């Protein structure tokens, strides 16, 4: 590089950094924000290898605490940047605990994929709706819930940078990052930071941060092939990865490509849930004809003989309290996928070009495409479902309601009724970095992240009504439709051609994006007696947005029983400035402080938040680290809440307290308790404030030898102004109390509760008095808090002739969890009660044995007890074991065998209704295995 260009680039970098800092500070001063929580910090990018555990070694301590020491000539101690800080350090441990999972450990520990590994973290104590949950807004996505505080309070980064949110909200409510399609090909490690980190990263980092760090250097070209399946059927899968690196003069780079595919696992492929009647439940209605006036079934004209071959020949006449219908226990199992089918192509790469004199240009990119399919219910039809729910049959003179579930035999190919998600993503960044002065480095970068999600949903066409009822003859004065309907048509199975004539598809398009420019610098600021004062500064500006576009044909009479969809569009801009200091107070004591100011502009509003954190590291001896940390954090209002005019859906289960009170029986014996699926709801937006978080940490790390280390960390997280939906269950309780006179009907609480619940009239012919809609909206709840502790230990030893052994153990215990939707709600510790539905503790342990060319690993996970479905007791703690064996065939080639769920156990819940296992907590797959070949060219 020429003498003129070199200082010019440095000057531009310095000017850009100062300009961004200055403009953001000016904005903060000219546009004051509501009472901030405290000072303001930076946003980090972990980009160098690290490992968890070690307090500072003697050599590292000497290097950092002797200001005038001569530079080493034989060996230089490299510094690393660890998630949770922008300042590079010699040791990997700091004031906040960081757990590291190495890329090569993902397969060794028996994880099915990256999502499985993240879900298995002991800090991930929260329940989440994932790809096996079935009826959810996001069945093609997985999420993580550190400390049980929800996916929206865990920040997920790639190489220390934000990625685009999943375009559809989790549970129809909050934005989150999808971890289902993260490739493992180029992963160097996954770092998990516990506690608040908004002072480094900004919004969302309340419960913690997950940073997926990709490799920056790869030797040669490596091909990895893997294939496997589940022992009990379904889930056949294969993966091919190609990774490599190159150097060509000043240009160097790495690349990785991953192709993967897996078949779905259907509930019918698991004997214990292949039929909904296995525990005594009545079969589901396949063909039903009711007298709407009496509510009783009209007997099948042929005794169900015509439909007896439907649902694998399981359909037969069933005598219920309301009469006889044609039913089967295989209606739901035939169409329910407990694991989605998926095909994906993922690619990642990084390029650097050395300009000389410590400067380099860089570019990084991750690109992905995924095709996901799932099924949660087959096609079904009820006459006049969008109207009164019944019709006048001119042939009988009766008001009738007809019901029909269509079987795989009628559809032709069950996969034709799968829902499809097609995802396309990219994350790209480009910039320049290098030495700014003798001890300072800088980085200028621009990044763009984009997520496109296209959905295809099979639907019955509105013409299905005419196919089964015949032409509409007219309408009575009260709106009742008139048909001359032939029952023989109802009880006769459809041909494939007939079903094709009433099958349509609706399509949706959802996308989200996150674009950012940033300037950062870090280095030694001052020389203190105990060592250098290190500092980092950062300035960021960015924009993010989302769009959800539904099919315009919904609610327009094209499809059977649909309502008009809601389109969502919104963007918001943000600016941030931050700084961080790391100061050695004495040779044994180091302090870290960080502060950051974030400002958001959205929906005509400006909102600013100042956050800070402070930490202390005390090393009384070289082998012992004592640490403490306090941080404030925040989360800007979810864009879905801000920009969605309304969201429609239904609850997984609901209780009608009013009808239970009317029936006069105890709640435990009421037929209207925990009815599944639950009531329909409509959620409208609200004027929301940012959530405010605080976290505390106190811990110790002890490493007396290089072969042993142990850690203990206490943690606490509290969220105020928590954004949550108004509790529909509480609304229904209040409505019941108001209607039965337990509360004054004219009180504000009663007026509000009764207005939120819509019911059928008591004299309705179909479903009299039943709840048809519950209206809710998001609110800033009073408080949510939790505290507990993490334990970790690692021990390695060598036995003569028996190789190298390593034992690694991690444990998390939740001691206290409290939630109050309003300040007047009961404040109590839910842990130890059936109100606490997350895991109270989780344990991960693995033992690795390396001997000669062989490496064997046994991994164990233990999850604590969880409440049974009936909430009358608990499912006991559950152990799962994975195992792997690797044979290093040659210096370049290895072969591995991995088994997930060695003992082929499936967690079941005898108190639950179908599918008889704790959905969302455990997978019903049973034993799975893979064989893997790895070859480096």
């Amino acid at each position: 590089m020429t003498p003129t260009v070199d200082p010019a680039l440095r000057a531009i970098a310095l000017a850009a950094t100062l300009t961004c800092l200055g403009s953001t500070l000016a904005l903060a001063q000219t546009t004051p924000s509501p009472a901030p929580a405290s000072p303001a910090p930076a946003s980090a990018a972990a980009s160098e290898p690290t490992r968890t555990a070690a307090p500072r070694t003697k050599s590292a301590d000497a290097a950092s605490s002797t200001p005038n020491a001569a530079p080493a000539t034989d060996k230089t101690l490299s510094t690393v940047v660890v998630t949770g800080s922008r300042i590079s350090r010699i040791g990997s441990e700091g004031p906040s605990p960081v757990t590291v999972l190495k890329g090569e450990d993902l397969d060794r520990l028996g994880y099915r994929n990256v999502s499985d590994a993240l879900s298995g973290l002991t800090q991930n104590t929260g329940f989440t709706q994932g790809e096996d949950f079935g009826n959810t807004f996001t069945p093609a996505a997985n999420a993580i819930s550190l400390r049980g505080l929800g996916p929206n309070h865990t920040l997920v980064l790639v190489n220390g940078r934000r990625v685009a949110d999943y375009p559809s909200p989790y549970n129809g409510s909050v934005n989150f990052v999808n971890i289902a399609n993260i490739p493992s090909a180029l992963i160097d490690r996954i770092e998990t930071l516990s506690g608040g980190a908004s002072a480094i990263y900004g919004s969302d980092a309340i419960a913690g941060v997950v940073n997926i760090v990709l490799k920056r250097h790869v030797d040669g070209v490596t091909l990895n092939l893997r294939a496997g399946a589940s022992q009990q059927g379904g889930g056949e899968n294969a993966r091919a990865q190609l990774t490599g690196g190159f150097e060509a003069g000043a240009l160097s780079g790495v690349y990785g490509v991953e192709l993967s595919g897996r078949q779905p696992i259907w509930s019918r492929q698991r004997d214990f849930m292949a039929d909904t009647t296995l525990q005594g439940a009545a079969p589901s209605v396949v063909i039903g004809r009711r007298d709407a006036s009496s509510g009783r079934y009209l007997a099948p004209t042929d005794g169900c003989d015509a439909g007896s071959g439907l649902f694998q020949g399981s359909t037969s006449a069933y005598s219920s309290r309301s009469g006889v219908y044609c039913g089967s226990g295989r209606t739901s199992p035939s169409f329910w996928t407990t694991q989605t089918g998926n095909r994906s192509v993922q690619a990642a790469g990084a390029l650097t070009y050395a300009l000389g004199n410590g400067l380099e240009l860089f570019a990084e990119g991750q690109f992905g495409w995924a095709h996901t399919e799932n099924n949660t219910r087959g096609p079904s039809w009820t006459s006049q479902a969008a109207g009164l729910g019944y019709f006048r049959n001119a042939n009988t003179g009766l008001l009738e309601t007809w019901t029909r579930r269509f079987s795989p035999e009628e559809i032709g190919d069950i996969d034709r009724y799968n829902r499809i998600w097609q995802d396309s993503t990219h994350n790209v960044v480009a910039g320049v970095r290098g030495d700014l002065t003798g001890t300072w480095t800088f980085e200028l970068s621009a990044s763009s992240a984009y997520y496109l999600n296209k959905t295809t949903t099979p639907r019955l066409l509105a013409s299905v009504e005419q196919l089964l009822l015949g032409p509409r003859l007219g309408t009575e004065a009260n709106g009742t439709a008139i048909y001359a309907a032939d029952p023989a048509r109802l009880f006769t199975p459809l041909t494939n051609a007939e079903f094709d004539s009433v099958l349509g598809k609706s399509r949706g398009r959802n996308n989200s994006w996150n674009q950012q420019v940033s300037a950062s610098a870090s280095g030694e600021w001052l020389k203190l007696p105990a060592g250098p004062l290190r500092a980092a500064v950062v300035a960021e500006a960015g924009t993010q947005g989302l769009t959800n576009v539904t099919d315009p044909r919904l609610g327009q009479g094209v499809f059977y029983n649909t309502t008009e969809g809601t389109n969502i569009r919104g963007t918001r801009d943000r600016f941030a400035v931050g700084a961080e200091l790391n100061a050695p107070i004495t040779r044994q004591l180091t302090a870290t402080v960080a502060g950051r100011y974030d400002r958001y502009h959205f929906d005509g509003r400006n909102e600013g938040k100042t956050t800070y954190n402070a930490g202390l590291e005390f090393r009384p001896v070289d082998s012992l680290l004592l640490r403490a940390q306090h941080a404030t954090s925040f989360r800007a209002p979810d864009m879905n809440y801000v920009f969605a005019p309304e969201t429609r859906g239904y609850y997984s289960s609901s209780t009608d307290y009013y009808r239970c009170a009317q029936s006069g029986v105890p709640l435990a014996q009421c037929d209207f308790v925990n009815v599944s699926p639950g009531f329909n709801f409509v959620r409208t937006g609200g004027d929301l404030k940012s959530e405010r978080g605080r976290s505390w940490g106190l811990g110790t790390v002890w490493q007396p030898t290089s072969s042993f280390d142990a850690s203990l960390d206490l943690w606490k997280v509290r969220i105020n102004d928590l954004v949550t939906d108004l509790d529909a269950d509480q609304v229904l309780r209040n409505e019941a109390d108001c209607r039965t006179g337990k509360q004054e009907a004219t009180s504000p609480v009663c007026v509000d509760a009764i207005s939120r619940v819509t019911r059928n009239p008591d004299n309705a012919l179909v479903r009299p008095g039943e709840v048809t809609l519950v209206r809710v909206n998001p609110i800033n709840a009073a408080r949510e808090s939790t505290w507990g502790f993490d334990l970790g230990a690692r021990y390695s030893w060598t036995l003569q002739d028996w190789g190298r052994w390593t034992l690694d153990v991690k444990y998390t215990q939740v001691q206290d969890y409290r939630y109050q939707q309003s300040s007047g709600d009961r404040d109590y510790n839910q842990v130890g009660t059936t109100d606490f539905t997350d895991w109270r503790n989780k344990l991960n342990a693995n033992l690795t044995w390396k001997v000669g060319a062989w490496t064997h690993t046994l991994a164990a996970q233990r999850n604590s007890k969880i409440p049974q479905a009936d909430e009358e007791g608990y499912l006991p703690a559950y152990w799962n074991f994975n195992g792997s064996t690797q044979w290093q065939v040659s210096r370049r080639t290895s072969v591995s065998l991995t088994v997930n769920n060695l003992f082929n156990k499936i967690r079941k819940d005898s108190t639950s209704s179908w599918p008889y296992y704790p959905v969302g907590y455990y997978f019903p797959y049973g034993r799975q295995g893979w064989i893997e070949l790895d070859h480096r060219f």
Side-chain angles (χ1 to χ4, degrees), residues 801-819:
D801 300 327
W802 286 91
R804 182 75 172 174
W805 299 72
T806 301
L807 177 65
D808 197 340
V809 179
K810 291 182 175 61
Y811 177 82
T812 291
Q813 174 80 22
V814 181
Q815 288 291 106
D816 187 282
Y817 174 82
R818 298 167 187 265
Y819 173 78

Side-chain angles (χ1 to χ4, degrees), residues 159 161 186 214-216 246 250-255 348-354 360-367 427-433 443-448:
N159 283 347
R161 296 182 175 87
L186 271 182
L214 303 183
K215 296 176 182 177
R216 296 183 62 185
F246 67 90
L251 181 66
S252 62
V254 297
Y255 59 87
L351 292 172
T352 58
Y353 184 82
E360 66 179 18
L361 301 176
F362 69 93
E364 301 169 3
Q366 301 98 46
F367 307 88
N427 302 304
V428 294
V429 60
V432 58
R433 60 191 172 206
E443 179 180 292
L444 300 176
S445 67
S447 61
S448 173

Side-chain angles (χ1 to χ4, degrees), residues 718-737:
R718 186 180 70 199
I719 307 175
N720 291 323
D721 294 329
L722 177 74
V723 175
T724 186
D725 287 336
L726 193 67
D727 188 347
D729 189 72
Q730 187 60 52
V731 169
L732 292 166
R733 288 177 186 271
N734 289 342
E735 184 234 10
D737 289 346

Side-chain angles (χ1 to χ4, degrees), residues 149-398:
L149 296 176
N152 54 326
H153 297 121
T154 298
L155 178 62
V156 178
L157 307 171
V158 175
N159 283 347
R161 296 182 175 87
R162 290 177 179 264
V163 297
D165 288 335
Y166 191 70
S168 298
Y170 176 84
N171 203 26
S173 304
V174 297
N175 302 115
F176 72 107
V177 172
N178 178 21
I179 61 173
N181 292 322
I182 297 174
S184 60
L186 271 182
I187 290 180
D188 180 69
R189 64 193 183 279
I190 301 173
E191 298 180 339
T192 303
L193 169 73
S194 299
S198 289
I200 304 297
Y201 299 106
S203 177
D204 309 337
I206 291 181
V209 178
V210 174
N211 186 21
I212 300 167
V213 184
L214 303 183
K215 296 176 182 177
R216 296 183 62 185
H217 180 77
V218 175
D219 291 324
V221 176
T222 300
L223 176 66
N224 180 280
L225 302 175
R226 170 171 141 161
S230 65
Q231 180 176 324
Q232 298 185 36
E236 296 83 3
N237 59 89
R239 185 191 72 190
Q241 296 176 336
L242 184 69
T243 59
F246 67 90
E247 292 186 6
L251 181 66
S252 62
V254 297
Y255 59 87
V257 178
E258 178 177 297
L259 288 77
S260 65
R262 71 165 182 236
Q263 294 295 318
I265 296 178
W266 298 84
S267 56
R268 64 177 184 269
Q269 294 176 303
R270 298 296 178 266
D271 291 342
F272 78 94
M273 57 175 170
D275 194 305
T276 59
T277 65
L278 292 177
Q279 294 189 13
S284 300
V285 177
V286 176
I287 308 173
R289 179 181 171 220
R290 280 181 184 265
D291 180 336
S293 298
S294 66
R296 293 192 58 80
Y297 285 103
L298 300 171
T301 55
D302 65 346
C304 299
D305 288 343
S308 61
L310 302 181
F311 291 99
Q312 301 87 46
S314 64
T315 302
S316 61
Y318 178 77
S319 297
S320 70
R321 289 182 298 177
S322 301
V324 180
Y325 63 84
C326 303
S328 169
R330 298 185 183 177
T331 57
S332 292
S334 293
F335 287 96
W336 194 283
T337 52
T338 63
Q339 175 180 273
T340 59
N342 180 273
R343 301 191 305 274
S344 69
V345 178
Q346 309 288 337
L351 292 172
T352 58
Y353 184 82
L355 299 173
N357 297 321
L359 294 176
E360 66 179 18
L361 301 176
F362 69 93
E364 301 169 3
Q366 301 98 46
F367 307 88
W369 175 87
H371 176 102
T372 305
E373 296 190 17
N374 95 318
N375 203 321
T376 56
R377 59 180 58 188
S380 63
W381 166 83
T382 298
S383 58
Q384 290 293 292
L388 296 176
Y390 54 86
F391 65 95
R392 175 74 67 184
N393 194 335
N395 291 333
T396 64
L398 298 175

Side-chain angles (χ1 to χ4, degrees), residues 541-555:
T543 183
Q544 64 183 125
L546 63 82
T547 64
N548 293 164
V549 180
T550 60
D551 195 313
R553 298 172 295 169
L554 295 175

